[in-house]
Amino acid sequence: MAISNNPNSPRQKMINLMYLVFIAMMALNVSVEVLDGFELVEQSLKKTTSDTSRRNELLMKELTEYYRMNEAKVGEWYHKSEDVKSQSDGLYDYMQELKLRIVQEADGMKGNLDGIQHKDDLEAASEVMLAPITGEGRKLYERLVNYRGSMTALVDDTARMNVIASVLDLEVPAKGGIARSWEATLFEHMPVAAAITLLTKLQSDVRYVEGEVLASLLNSIDVGAYRVNKIQAMVIPQSQIVMRGTPYRAQIVLAALDSTQQPRIFIGDRELPASDNGWYTGGSGGLGLQTFSGRIELPRADGATSTYPFSETYSVTEPTATIAPTLMNVLYESIENDIEVAIPGVPSSSVRASISAGTITQKSANMWTARPPVNAETVTVTLTASMTGGNPISMSREFKVRQLPPATPFLVYKDASGNTRKFKGGTISKKSLIEADGVKAAVDDGILDIPFTVTGFEVTFMDSMGNALPEISQNGAFTQRQKEMIRNLARGKRFYITRVKATDPGGRAQNLTTTIEVIVN
């Protein structure tokens, strides 16, 4: 059928060997530095699991296509495949949850799998997996046993049954003549780095077994009646737009494959090596639209050869990048300026940003926050990205740095509907004045909304003779004396808020010149 499964591939042999070596090294109580080596095994296992998952997705896609064409004939196998996927996903997710719990046990609730801090912690795995009442080790063992039984029952091929039993072999040898449980053997006093790698290997095993069973179900379907008329050549590019210096990568496959036959793939008259597994690498030295074509030859049972032609195009562009502030074409000192960055054709996870002065941090996928220092005139933001098979990309853009505009003082109050309002002068009810906390200040020009900290202000009242009575607050709140004088004001009377002092987000003091005239309603 479409996908071949080889449990003894060179890559799998390498991963198994690395796994055994590191487990043996742990038995010798090696140094913490060696524990870091588990990350290499972990990454290799993740890559293998990812590749296996993609293979399984292709198998499911083919089963779905056969089911769509003939539900009555394929329904039994298709529904079994859905059950296989459901059980596999559930077990895989359960082990992923266990990994996170172990890391959080070692590093705290903020611990994450991508940055383990206490890799040499010998208690975290035992606490999660072997605790007397809440330990998950026995539960995991039982789920693996049940999963192995369920998957074996779906396979008719004895050879595949043996493969599944071998991959999910849960027997553990006695140590020093003393028999130990499976979970104790794997997780008792096991460093966090090793426990995570063990669980990742089990996840990889689950995905491998899932693929074996799906392949067996696919082989059980008699698709001869429509295999010939549904075979077609397909080109699956990694991207149809590539940058100069970065190779074009695409996989050339058939929509349905006979696992007993190896198709021959030709680009023009040049045959791709069988070891390339259908991967074609095209050049990207010239700009513009690039075209390539070829054919796939597949031997038939009658000795003849079926030929399936194909052609594909891709575009080569100059490396470009986007570095754009979300507010305007300047950055303001001492505050966090949002900057949207992107390099077309490059995933955001591969793009890194730096700044010549100040700080820049990633806020979300394409959004970064730049904070220029005080008194800087310009800063340069640089994007870098490492391209697979090509030269690294590095692009920069210079920004002017500006001081924040002067802030505007105001009062915050709630209107009759309970909505929060800003009062910058005019008529206002005495009730709203009494309920206001004091004077606020901010740069609020419709584009920026940057709060300042008010450190003092003066309120000037007028007595019946027209004499000014100033009252000073040493912070942003009304003093008791100021509130008392406001309560005693009659309707139509007015007072003035002046000499407001505030500091910007960078700690720089400002004397605000704006006067707020308040008329009591």
Side-chain angles (χ1 to χ4, degrees), residues 141-166:
Y141 173 81
E142 292 172 352
R143 289 189 64 166
L144 286 168
V145 170
N146 293 334
Y147 177 77
R148 180 180 62 188
S150 298
M151 297 300 105
T152 303
L154 294 171
V155 175
D156 296 327
D157 185 354
T158 303
R160 271 203 169 96
M161 290 182 182
N162 293 335
V163 168
I164 292 173
S166 175

Side-chain angles (χ1 to χ4, degrees), residues 409 439 441 454 456-458 497-502 510-512 514:
V439 179
V454 174
F457 62 93
E458 182 178 293
I497 299 174
T498 60
R499 299 183 180 181
V500 178
K501 299 178 181 180
Q510 290 189 11
N511 293 321
L512 309 186
T514 303

Side-chain angles (χ1 to χ4, degrees), residues 300-319:
R300 298 203 307 254
D302 58 6
T305 299
S306 296
T307 301
Y308 305 92
F310 62 84
S311 64
E312 187 61 64
T313 60
Y314 61 95
S315 297
V316 179
T317 65
E318 288 283 6

Side-chain angles (χ1 to χ4, degrees), residues 22 41 84 94 103 105 134 177 179 197-198 253 255 279 302 309 362 395 407 424 445 447 455 465 468 476 495 511:
F22 277 107
V41 181
V84 169
Y94 173 60
V103 172
E105 182 69 28
T134 61
T197 303
L198 285 168
V253 299
W279 282 100
D302 58 6
Q362 191 169 17
M395 295 187 176
K424 298 182 180 180
D445 58 3
I447 299 176
T455 59
M465 302 298 293
F495 62 90
N511 293 321

Side-chain angles (χ1 to χ4, degrees), residues 105-132:
E105 182 69 28
D107 294 349
M109 292 308 297
K110 293 185 179 181
N112 66 85
L113 291 168
D114 295 326
I116 303 175
Q117 301 298 318
H118 299 92
K119 302 173 188 175
D120 57 345
D121 189 313
L122 299 176
E123 301 300 329
S126 297
E127 182 66 26
V128 174
M129 305 301 291
L130 304 177

Side-chain angles (χ1 to χ4, degrees), residues 67-294:
Y67 177 70
R68 184 188 65 80
M69 291 187 290
N70 193 332
E71 293 184 10
K73 187 175 184 180
V74 183
E76 176 185 357
W77 314 110
Y78 175 72
H79 294 310
K80 287 181 178 180
S81 70
E82 287 187 312
D83 184 53
V84 169
K85 178 170 176 54
S86 176
Q87 290 191 52
S88 301
D89 288 348
L91 185 53
Y92 182 96
D93 293 342
Y94 173 60
M95 288 188 281
Q96 190 69 15
E97 178 186 347
L98 292 180
K99 288 161 62 175
L100 181 59
R101 286 179 58 184
I102 291 172
V103 172
Q104 290 180 341
E105 182 69 28
D107 294 349
M109 292 308 297
K110 293 185 179 181
N112 66 85
L113 291 168
D114 295 326
I116 303 175
Q117 301 298 318
H118 299 92
K119 302 173 188 175
D120 57 345
D121 189 313
L122 299 176
E123 301 300 329
S126 297
E127 182 66 26
V128 174
M129 305 301 291
L130 304 177
I133 297 177
T134 61
E136 299 287 346
R138 178 49 42 173
K139 297 177 186 177
L140 175 59
Y141 173 81
E142 292 172 352
R143 289 189 64 166
L144 286 168
V145 170
N146 293 334
Y147 177 77
R148 180 180 62 188
S150 298
M151 297 300 105
T152 303
L154 294 171
V155 175
D156 296 327
D157 185 354
T158 303
R160 271 203 169 96
M161 290 182 182
N162 293 335
V163 168
I164 292 173
S166 175
V167 171
L168 293 179
D169 182 8
L170 304 178
E171 297 297 326
V172 292
K175 185 176 181 181
I178 301 175
R180 304 178 69 202
S181 67
W182 174 84
E183 59 270 23
T185 302
L186 265 66
F187 299 105
E188 188 173 16
H189 301 305
M190 186 65 66
V192 169
I196 297 302
T197 303
L198 285 168
L199 289 170
T200 300
K201 180 187 180 298
L202 289 173
Q203 288 178 307
S204 180
D205 292 341
V206 167
R207 288 304 185 204
Y208 182 83
V209 169
E210 176 190 4
E212 285 293 313
V213 178
L214 290 177
S216 178
L217 294 174
L218 189 58
N219 286 336
S220 299
I221 302 173
D222 180 12
V223 296
Y226 38 56
R227 177 183 293 162
V228 172
N229 61 13
K230 297 305 279 188
I231 284 182
Q232 60 185 9
M234 294 182 64
V235 179
I236 307 174
Q238 287 183 330
S239 176
Q240 290 185 318
I241 300 177
V242 297
M243 298 180 185
R244 186 197 295 270
T246 303
Y248 170 83
R249 292 271 291 165
Q251 189 175 24
I252 301 168
V253 299
L254 289 175
L257 296 175
D258 183 348
S259 62
T260 65
Q261 300 287 345
Q262 177 67 40
R264 300 175 66 192
I265 302 172
F266 294 84
I267 304 297
D269 294 327
R270 180 175 65 87
E271 183 175 4
L272 292 183
S275 59
D276 288 356
N277 295 318
W279 282 100
Y280 164 66
T281 301
S284 59
L287 298 174
L289 196 64
Q290 310 294 319
T291 302
F292 68 97
S293 60

